[in-house]
Amino acid sequence: MEKAIQVKGLQKSFKDKEVLKGVDFEVKRGEIFALLGSNGAGKTTIVRILTTLLKPDSGTATINGFDVMSKPDNVRQAISLTGQFAAVDEILTGRENLILIAKLRHLKNPRQVADHMLKRFGLTDAADRKASTYSGGMRRRLDIALSLVGKPEIIFLDEPTTGLDPESRIEVWKTVKELAAGGTTILLTTQYLEEAEQLADRIAILHEGKIIASGTLTELKKLFPKAKVEYVEKQPSLEEIFLAIVGKKEAM
Ligand SMILES: Nc1ncnc2c1ncn2[C@@H]1O[C@H](COP(=O)(O)OP(=O)(O)OP(=O)(O)O)[C@@H](O)[C@H]1O
Ligand SMILES: [Mg+2]
Protein backbone atom coordinates (compact mmCIF):
# COMPACT_ATOMS: atom_id res chain seq x y z
CA MET A 1 0.00 0.00 0.00
CA GLU A 2 1.09 3.52 -0.77
CA LYS A 3 2.67 5.35 2.15
CA ALA A 4 1.11 8.50 3.56
CA ILE A 5 4.49 10.24 3.71
CA GLN A 6 7.69 9.22 1.98
CA VAL A 7 10.90 11.23 2.38
CA LYS A 8 14.14 10.39 0.59
CA GLY A 9 17.51 12.10 0.75
CA LEU A 10 16.13 15.45 1.82
CA GLN A 11 18.76 18.18 2.00
CA LYS A 12 18.40 21.82 2.96
CA SER A 13 20.91 24.53 3.76
CA PHE A 14 20.33 28.10 4.84
CA LYS A 15 23.24 30.10 3.41
CA ASP A 16 26.18 27.86 4.30
CA LYS A 17 24.49 26.21 7.26
CA GLU A 18 23.59 22.63 6.37
CA VAL A 19 20.43 21.85 8.32
CA LEU A 20 19.21 18.67 6.61
CA LYS A 21 21.94 16.37 5.30
CA GLY A 22 19.93 13.58 3.68
CA VAL A 23 16.82 12.78 5.67
CA ASP A 24 14.90 9.56 4.93
CA PHE A 25 11.75 8.22 6.55
CA GLU A 26 8.29 6.88 5.80
CA VAL A 27 4.97 7.19 7.55
CA LYS A 28 2.20 4.64 7.02
CA ARG A 29 -1.45 5.55 6.80
CA GLY A 30 -3.18 5.97 10.13
CA GLU A 31 0.09 6.03 12.01
CA ILE A 32 1.27 8.51 14.65
CA PHE A 33 4.86 9.32 13.78
CA ALA A 34 7.01 11.43 16.08
CA LEU A 35 10.01 13.36 14.86
CA LEU A 36 12.19 13.90 17.85
CA GLY A 37 15.08 16.35 18.03
CA SER A 38 16.64 19.13 20.04
CA ASN A 39 16.21 22.86 19.40
CA GLY A 40 17.46 23.72 15.94
CA ALA A 41 17.67 20.08 14.79
CA GLY A 42 15.58 20.90 11.71
CA LYS A 43 12.14 19.58 12.69
CA THR A 44 10.24 22.68 11.58
CA THR A 45 12.31 22.78 8.39
CA ILE A 46 11.13 19.23 7.55
CA VAL A 47 7.51 20.12 8.36
CA ARG A 48 7.70 23.23 6.17
CA ILE A 49 9.07 21.21 3.26
CA LEU A 50 6.40 18.52 3.64
CA THR A 51 3.62 21.11 3.79
CA THR A 52 4.88 22.83 0.59
CA LEU A 53 5.97 26.02 2.38
CA LEU A 54 9.67 25.58 1.69
CA LYS A 55 11.62 23.99 -1.16
CA PRO A 56 14.34 21.44 -0.38
CA ASP A 57 17.74 21.77 -2.10
CA SER A 58 17.62 18.12 -3.08
CA GLY A 59 15.86 14.87 -2.31
CA THR A 60 12.19 14.00 -2.69
CA ALA A 61 9.13 14.03 -0.48
CA THR A 62 5.71 12.67 -1.37
CA ILE A 63 2.39 12.96 0.44
CA ASN A 64 -0.17 10.33 -0.58
CA GLY A 65 2.09 9.67 -3.54
CA PHE A 66 2.08 13.33 -4.67
CA ASP A 67 5.42 15.07 -4.91
CA VAL A 68 5.54 18.20 -2.73
CA MET A 69 7.49 20.13 -5.37
CA SER A 70 5.60 19.20 -8.54
CA LYS A 71 2.09 18.58 -7.11
CA PRO A 72 1.71 21.10 -4.29
CA ASP A 73 -2.04 21.54 -4.86
CA ASN A 74 -2.76 17.83 -4.43
CA VAL A 75 -0.56 17.80 -1.36
CA ARG A 76 -2.36 20.78 0.19
CA GLN A 77 -5.74 19.12 -0.33
CA ALA A 78 -4.67 16.13 1.72
CA ILE A 79 -3.01 17.88 4.65
CA SER A 80 -3.31 20.41 7.39
CA LEU A 81 -0.68 22.07 9.51
CA THR A 82 -0.76 23.21 13.10
CA GLY A 83 2.36 25.31 13.32
CA GLN A 84 4.72 25.74 16.22
CA PHE A 85 3.11 29.08 17.03
CA ALA A 86 -0.68 29.17 17.35
CA ALA A 87 -2.63 30.42 14.35
CA VAL A 88 -5.69 31.35 16.40
CA ASP A 89 -7.03 34.87 15.91
CA GLU A 90 -7.26 36.23 19.44
CA ILE A 91 -9.79 38.96 18.68
CA LEU A 92 -12.31 36.48 17.32
CA THR A 93 -14.28 34.02 19.42
CA GLY A 94 -13.65 30.29 19.11
CA ARG A 95 -16.77 29.94 17.00
CA GLU A 96 -15.83 32.85 14.72
CA ASN A 97 -12.35 31.41 14.20
CA LEU A 98 -13.86 28.10 13.07
CA ILE A 99 -16.45 29.71 10.81
CA LEU A 100 -13.74 31.82 9.19
CA ILE A 101 -11.64 28.80 8.32
CA ALA A 102 -14.67 26.81 7.12
CA LYS A 103 -15.50 29.72 4.77
CA LEU A 104 -11.90 29.96 3.57
CA ARG A 105 -12.04 26.25 2.76
CA HIS A 106 -15.29 26.82 0.81
CA LEU A 107 -17.34 24.43 2.94
CA LYS A 108 -21.10 24.57 2.39
CA ASN A 109 -22.25 24.80 6.01
CA PRO A 110 -19.63 26.73 8.02
CA ARG A 111 -21.89 27.23 11.07
CA GLN A 112 -22.65 23.54 11.39
CA VAL A 113 -19.00 22.64 10.92
CA ALA A 114 -18.08 25.11 13.69
CA ASP A 115 -20.72 23.69 16.05
CA HIS A 116 -19.50 20.18 15.44
CA MET A 117 -15.87 21.07 16.08
CA LEU A 118 -16.67 23.05 19.24
CA LYS A 119 -18.49 20.04 20.62
CA ARG A 120 -15.80 17.58 19.59
CA PHE A 121 -13.07 19.62 21.27
CA GLY A 122 -15.03 20.47 24.41
CA LEU A 123 -15.18 24.16 23.57
CA THR A 124 -18.96 24.63 23.36
CA ASP A 125 -19.19 26.52 26.65
CA ALA A 126 -16.36 28.84 25.63
CA ALA A 127 -17.52 29.16 22.00
CA ASP A 128 -18.61 32.78 22.21
CA ARG A 129 -15.71 34.11 24.23
CA LYS A 130 -12.74 35.77 22.57
CA ALA A 131 -9.88 33.32 22.05
CA SER A 132 -7.65 35.75 23.98
CA THR A 133 -9.46 34.62 27.15
CA TYR A 134 -8.71 30.92 26.55
CA SER A 135 -6.16 28.95 28.54
CA GLY A 136 -3.11 27.59 26.72
CA GLY A 137 -4.70 24.16 26.47
CA MET A 138 -7.98 25.52 25.10
CA ARG A 139 -6.11 27.61 22.55
CA ARG A 140 -4.15 24.58 21.38
CA ARG A 141 -7.35 22.56 21.12
CA LEU A 142 -8.92 25.35 19.08
CA ASP A 143 -5.78 25.44 16.93
CA ILE A 144 -6.01 21.70 16.28
CA ALA A 145 -9.77 22.01 15.63
CA LEU A 146 -9.04 24.74 13.06
CA SER A 147 -6.55 22.52 11.30
CA LEU A 148 -9.13 19.72 11.07
CA VAL A 149 -11.82 21.75 9.33
CA GLY A 150 -12.34 20.09 5.96
CA LYS A 151 -11.22 16.64 7.20
CA PRO A 152 -7.58 16.43 6.10
CA GLU A 153 -6.19 12.90 5.82
CA ILE A 154 -2.77 13.81 7.12
CA ILE A 155 -2.05 16.33 9.84
CA PHE A 156 1.22 17.92 10.83
CA LEU A 157 1.57 19.09 14.41
CA ASP A 158 4.73 21.05 15.04
CA GLU A 159 5.44 20.88 18.77
CA PRO A 160 1.76 20.67 19.71
CA THR A 161 2.35 20.80 23.46
CA THR A 162 5.35 23.11 23.89
CA GLY A 163 4.61 25.58 26.65
CA LEU A 164 1.53 23.77 27.92
CA ASP A 165 1.04 22.70 31.51
CA PRO A 166 0.87 18.94 32.15
CA GLU A 167 -2.92 18.88 32.25
CA SER A 168 -3.31 20.65 28.93
CA ARG A 169 -0.61 18.44 27.48
CA ILE A 170 -2.60 15.35 28.41
CA GLU A 171 -5.68 16.92 26.82
CA VAL A 172 -3.82 17.40 23.56
CA TRP A 173 -2.46 13.84 23.70
CA LYS A 174 -5.99 12.53 24.08
CA THR A 175 -7.09 14.51 21.04
CA VAL A 176 -4.20 13.21 18.96
CA LYS A 177 -4.94 9.61 19.96
CA GLU A 178 -8.60 10.03 19.05
CA LEU A 179 -7.70 11.42 15.65
CA ALA A 180 -5.40 8.50 14.91
CA ALA A 181 -8.05 6.05 16.08
CA GLY A 182 -10.33 7.65 13.48
CA GLY A 183 -7.81 6.89 10.71
CA THR A 184 -5.97 10.23 10.43
CA THR A 185 -2.23 10.03 9.79
CA ILE A 186 -0.28 12.24 12.16
CA LEU A 187 3.26 13.53 11.99
CA LEU A 188 4.21 15.43 15.09
CA THR A 189 7.45 16.99 16.15
CA THR A 190 8.47 17.19 19.74
CA GLN A 191 11.39 17.82 22.04
CA TYR A 192 9.65 15.85 24.76
CA LEU A 193 10.78 12.29 24.89
CA GLU A 194 7.85 11.36 27.05
CA GLU A 195 5.47 12.74 24.46
CA ALA A 196 6.92 10.51 21.75
CA GLU A 197 6.84 7.58 24.14
CA GLN A 198 3.19 8.20 25.02
CA LEU A 199 1.81 8.87 21.57
CA ALA A 200 3.86 7.55 18.72
CA ASP A 201 3.53 4.27 16.88
CA ARG A 202 6.94 5.00 15.45
CA ILE A 203 9.66 7.47 16.40
CA ALA A 204 12.52 8.98 14.41
CA ILE A 205 15.40 10.80 16.06
CA LEU A 206 16.76 13.72 14.06
CA HIS A 207 20.29 14.67 15.00
CA GLU A 208 22.90 16.71 13.14
CA GLY A 209 20.89 16.73 9.93
CA LYS A 210 20.06 13.04 9.73
CA ILE A 211 17.67 10.47 11.14
CA ILE A 212 20.04 8.54 13.35
CA ALA A 213 17.52 6.03 14.64
CA SER A 214 13.92 5.14 13.90
CA GLY A 215 11.42 2.48 14.76
CA THR A 216 8.83 1.53 17.32
CA LEU A 217 9.63 2.15 20.95
CA THR A 218 10.30 -1.59 21.33
CA GLU A 219 12.71 -1.52 18.39
CA LEU A 220 14.50 1.52 19.80
CA LYS A 221 14.78 -0.17 23.15
CA LYS A 222 16.65 -3.01 21.44
CA LEU A 223 19.28 -0.52 20.29
CA PHE A 224 20.04 0.27 23.87
CA PRO A 225 23.23 -1.48 25.01
CA LYS A 226 22.28 -4.87 26.45
CA ALA A 227 24.73 -4.87 29.35
CA LYS A 228 23.06 -1.82 30.81
CA VAL A 229 19.63 -3.43 30.63
CA GLU A 230 20.82 -6.37 32.70
CA TYR A 231 21.95 -4.15 35.56
CA VAL A 232 19.00 -1.81 35.57
CA GLU A 233 15.74 -3.27 36.75
CA LYS A 234 13.38 -0.92 34.96
CA GLN A 235 13.15 -0.67 31.17
CA PRO A 236 15.32 2.13 29.73
CA SER A 237 13.37 5.33 29.16
CA LEU A 238 13.32 6.87 25.72
CA GLU A 239 15.47 9.64 27.16
CA GLU A 240 18.19 7.13 28.02
CA ILE A 241 17.93 5.59 24.55
CA PHE A 242 18.14 9.02 22.96
CA LEU A 243 21.20 9.99 24.94
CA ALA A 244 22.87 6.63 24.33
CA ILE A 245 22.35 6.88 20.58
CA VAL A 246 23.33 10.53 20.31
CA GLY A 247 26.40 9.96 22.47
CA LYS A 248 27.42 6.91 20.44
CA LYS A 249 27.15 8.79 17.15
CA GLU A 250 29.19 11.68 18.41
CA ALA A 251 31.95 9.34 19.54
CA MET A 252 32.25 7.87 16.02
N1 LIG B 1 14.58 30.77 7.09
C1 LIG B 1 15.71 30.47 7.70
N2 LIG B 1 16.86 31.17 7.47
C2 LIG B 1 18.02 30.86 8.07
N3 LIG B 1 18.16 29.85 8.95
C3 LIG B 1 17.09 29.13 9.23
C4 LIG B 1 15.81 29.39 8.63
N4 LIG B 1 14.91 28.47 9.10
C5 LIG B 1 15.60 27.70 9.95
N5 LIG B 1 16.90 28.08 10.04
C6 LIG B 1 17.93 27.42 10.86
O1 LIG B 1 17.87 26.03 10.62
C7 LIG B 1 18.07 25.30 11.83
C8 LIG B 1 16.90 24.36 12.06
O2 LIG B 1 15.75 25.13 12.36
P1 LIG B 1 14.34 24.48 12.65
O3 LIG B 1 13.40 25.59 12.93
O4 LIG B 1 13.97 23.54 11.56
O5 LIG B 1 14.64 23.64 13.99
P2 LIG B 1 13.67 22.90 14.96
O6 LIG B 1 14.16 21.51 15.09
O7 LIG B 1 12.26 23.11 14.53
O8 LIG B 1 13.94 23.67 16.33
P3 LIG B 1 12.94 24.04 17.55
O9 LIG B 1 12.87 22.81 18.39
O10 LIG B 1 13.65 25.14 18.26
O11 LIG B 1 11.63 24.45 16.97
C9 LIG B 1 18.29 26.33 12.91
O12 LIG B 1 19.65 26.48 13.10
C10 LIG B 1 17.67 27.58 12.34
O13 LIG B 1 18.31 28.72 12.84
MG1 LIG C 1 10.64 24.00 15.35
Side-chain angles (χ1 to χ4, degrees):
M1 198 170 83
E2 179 188 283
K3 298 283 188 298
I5 304 173
Q6 208 154 20
V7 175
K8 279 193 199 136
L10 218 53
Q11 296 190 8
K12 181 73 190 177
S13 298
F14 294 105
K15 300 226 172 81
D16 44 12
K17 187 180 165 55
E18 250 187 302
V19 175
L20 305 179
K21 302 177 186 171
V23 168
D24 305 282
F25 65 88
E26 289 181 350
V27 182
K28 294 180 204 127
R29 279 181 205 285
E31 189 169 57
I32 304 182
F33 185 84
L35 197 55
L36 194 62
S38 338
N39 278 134
K43 302 180 296 296
T44 299
T45 303
I46 291 177
V47 168
R48 291 183 65 211
I49 292 172
L50 295 181
T51 54
T52 75
L53 300 175
L54 184 72
K55 284 198 185 340
D57 299 334
S58 63
T60 58
T62 60
I63 303 289
N64 273 355
F66 294 112
D67 186 89
V68 293
M69 300 261 269
S70 59
K71 301 273 182 217
D73 292 340
N74 299 79
V75 171
R76 285 181 200 145
Q77 268 171 25
I79 63 165
S80 83
L81 166 64
T82 300
Q84 192 166 359
F85 305 101
V88 168
D89 187 328
E90 308 238 322
I91 298 170
L92 301 180
T93 66
R95 188 190 306 281
E96 287 164 348
N97 265 290
L98 284 159
I99 292 174
L100 176 71
I101 300 293
K103 285 186 177 164
L104 288 173
R105 301 235 163 120
H106 305 290
L107 301 187
K108 276 190 220 114
N109 40 3
R111 293 207 144 261
Q112 262 167 285
V113 170
D115 280 344
H116 172 76
M117 283 299 186
L118 290 163
K119 199 164 162 198
R120 177 166 170 198
F121 286 89
L123 292 168
T124 305
D125 290 344
D128 299 308
R129 266 167 42 200
K130 284 187 181 169
S132 57
T133 68
Y134 286 14
S135 71
M138 290 164 81
R139 221 175 281 199
R140 264 291 156 188
R141 270 185 293 161
L142 177 59
D143 213 17
I144 295 174
L146 291 171
S147 77
L148 292 179
V149 170
K151 296 200 180 69
E153 290 165 61
I154 303 172
I155 70 170
F156 292 87
L157 300 170
D158 194 5
E159 299 198 21
T161 65
T162 298
L164 294 186
D165 59 35
E167 211 172 311
S168 307
R169 181 166 297 160
I170 290 166
E171 262 177 44
V172 170
W173 288 353
K174 194 169 146 249
T175 306
V176 171
K177 283 180 185 164
E178 282 167 8
L179 286 173
T184 307
T185 305
I186 295 161
L187 183 148
L188 65 94
T189 74
T190 186
Q191 298 180 37
Y192 301 118
L193 307 168
E194 196 204 340
E195 180 155 285
E197 198 158 5
Q198 280 282 334
L199 282 182
D201 299 310
R202 283 192 315 122
I203 298 160
I205 299 174
L206 180 66
H207 183 66
E208 293 180 350
K210 292 200 166 184
I211 303 290
I212 58 165
S214 69
T216 61
L217 189 58
T218 317
E219 285 164 353
L220 290 179
K221 280 183 174 168
K222 285 189 192 140
L223 297 175
F224 196 77
K226 258 225 161 74
K228 178 107 191 226
V229 178
E230 285 166 14
Y231 292 111
V232 181
E233 271 189 12
K234 68 174 177 58
Q235 290 277 305
S237 70
L238 187 56
E239 180 154 21
E240 287 169 310
I241 297 163
F242 176 82
L243 293 174
I245 295 165
V246 169
K248 202 164 61 192
K249 288 276 159 177
E250 269 165 3
M252 275 159 63

